[in-house]
Amino acid sequence: MTKLLHLTDLHFGAERQDLTPALARAIALADPDVIAVSGDLTHRARPEQFKAAVAFLRQLGRPAIAVPGNHDIPLWNLGLRLTAPFRRWREGVPADLRSDWLHIGDFHLFAANTADPMRIRSGILREKDIRRICAGLVSAPPAGFRVLVCHHPIEEPPGFDRGETRNAAQGIARLVKGGLDISLSGHLHHWQPGLGVTETNTRPLLQIQSGTALCARPGEKNHGFALLQTHPGGVSVTPWLLSEAEKRFCPAKVVNFRRSDAGWLQER
Ligand SMILES: [Fe+2]
Ligand SMILES: [Fe+2]
């Protein structure tokens, strides 16, 4: 049994400072073996914001992997955005957190940078990442679950219009054919477990969409994170959601998914 904690959209620089101790406490209680952070570590990609985000992740004391989101590239510094959009990301985030992959227990994590400096919000699943991950899927140990970590959602839930993630539909079909089981993404600041038992042109992919962990922008809700726990034949997903009154993240109803030869089934 392995526990993977999915954290996303920390937005350091515009974070709920009143929630950071509660978030760290909840993560300690959840006691994950590994943490995946699917982007928007910072609000404006400033060096001090990366420093705060990395310090927070380091204090959790768990192996972790992170990918950039659209907020992790400079917005107003057009020169930097166009010539070296990921320089601050590389300078601000240590190499082990920026790793392309991480294998811990039952989870084989593959990172993809979907942030696109040519667009404000929408993302792209790049051909070079699809090829790299396809090769990694082939060489990963046969047991366990193969997980894509990326900022932009593979598919937008109904009611959202942030722009499609370009190249995602055809890219994900190839990744699923190559053995991908699960995707973890953020960006929408919206919690949706298993949006995902959706059909691709190969077999279903379990898509986990987590809400923002800490973003303080007005109107934000759905603060929380997700805990994935393996069990024989499947994965259980527990959202840990903010109780605003108690200023505490609490586990909510568990959703169980079973993997069969035909793909994923949600257990009722
Ligand atoms: Fe975000
Ligand atoms: Fe985002």
Side-chain angles (χ1 to χ4, degrees):
M1 189 267 284
T2 308
K3 291 198 275 188
L4 161 63
L5 193 140
H6 177 211
L7 196 58
T8 194
D9 295 82
L10 296 160
H11 284 265
F12 272 91
E15 83 280 18
R16 288 271 305 264
Q17 293 180 355
D18 59 326
L19 293 184
T20 50
L23 180 62
R25 272 197 302 275
I27 291 171
L29 273 175
D31 193 21
D33 299 292
V34 57
I35 297 174
V37 190
S38 58
D40 286 358
L41 276 66
T42 70
H43 196 59
R44 286 289 173 250
R46 297 196 173 116
E48 67 276 13
Q49 296 174 356
F50 280 117
K51 196 172 174 186
V54 170
F56 178 80
L57 294 175
R58 287 298 198 215
Q59 69 155 353
L60 301 175
R62 319 276 165 158
I65 191 170
V67 294
N70 53 308
H71 280 263
D72 296 317
I73 49 184
L75 179 61
W76 304 116
N77 185 335
L78 275 184
L80 198 56
R81 185 178 178 94
L82 295 176
T83 60
F86 299 106
R87 181 190 295 165
R88 287 183 177 171
W89 167 262
R90 284 194 304 273
E91 290 176 350
V93 179
D96 63 296
L97 285 176
R98 292 188 277 109
S99 178
D100 284 342
W101 58 269
L102 182 61
H103 294 180
I104 301 279
D106 297 331
F107 288 110
H108 311 300
L109 307 175
F110 297 93
N113 172 3
T114 54
D116 183 355
M118 303 307 288
R119 301 232 174 359
I120 298 296
R121 277 184 164 178
S122 63
I124 179 170
L125 187 56
R126 295 177 174 83
E127 178 63 27
K128 68 182 175 74
D129 291 318
I130 297 168
R131 288 188 186 178
R132 171 179 55 80
I133 296 169
C134 278
L137 291 168
V138 170
S139 57
F145 298 93
R146 294 158 170 75
V147 183
L148 171 69
V149 184
C150 63
H151 182 61
H152 294 83
I154 301 305
E155 295 174 328
E156 276 192 316
F160 284 86
D161 186 21
R162 298 266 180 111
E164 65 168 356
T165 303
R166 285 176 298 130
N167 210 30
Q170 69 94 2
I172 211 68
R174 287 161 59 196
L175 294 175
V176 169
K177 196 173 174 188
L180 186 71
D181 297 298
I182 299 170
S183 69
L184 304 178
S185 53
H187 187 54
L188 302 178
H189 297 203
H190 174 75
W191 162 246
Q192 187 123 16
L195 154 70
V197 190
T198 55
E199 294 290 334
T200 66
N201 60 5
T202 47
R203 64 187 171 87
L205 173 72
L206 174 55
Q207 298 180 43
I208 305 295
Q209 179 74 43
S210 286
T212 174
L214 290 174
C215 188
R217 287 187 301 201
E220 289 288 356
K221 44 190 183 181
N222 290 311
H223 289 93
F225 59 86
L227 186 71
L228 285 71
Q229 189 165 335
T230 60
H231 56 76
V235 171
S236 65
V237 183
T238 308
W240 285 60
L241 304 176
L242 174 66
S243 162
E244 193 68 70
E246 299 175 71
K247 293 279 185 289
R248 200 159 66 91
F249 292 87
C250 309
K253 191 172 185 295
V254 181
V255 190
N256 289 307
F257 297 92
R258 187 158 48 84
R259 189 177 61 175
S260 71
D261 289 342
W264 290 98
L265 292 170
Q266 184 171 343
E267 293 177 348
R268 303 283 175 190

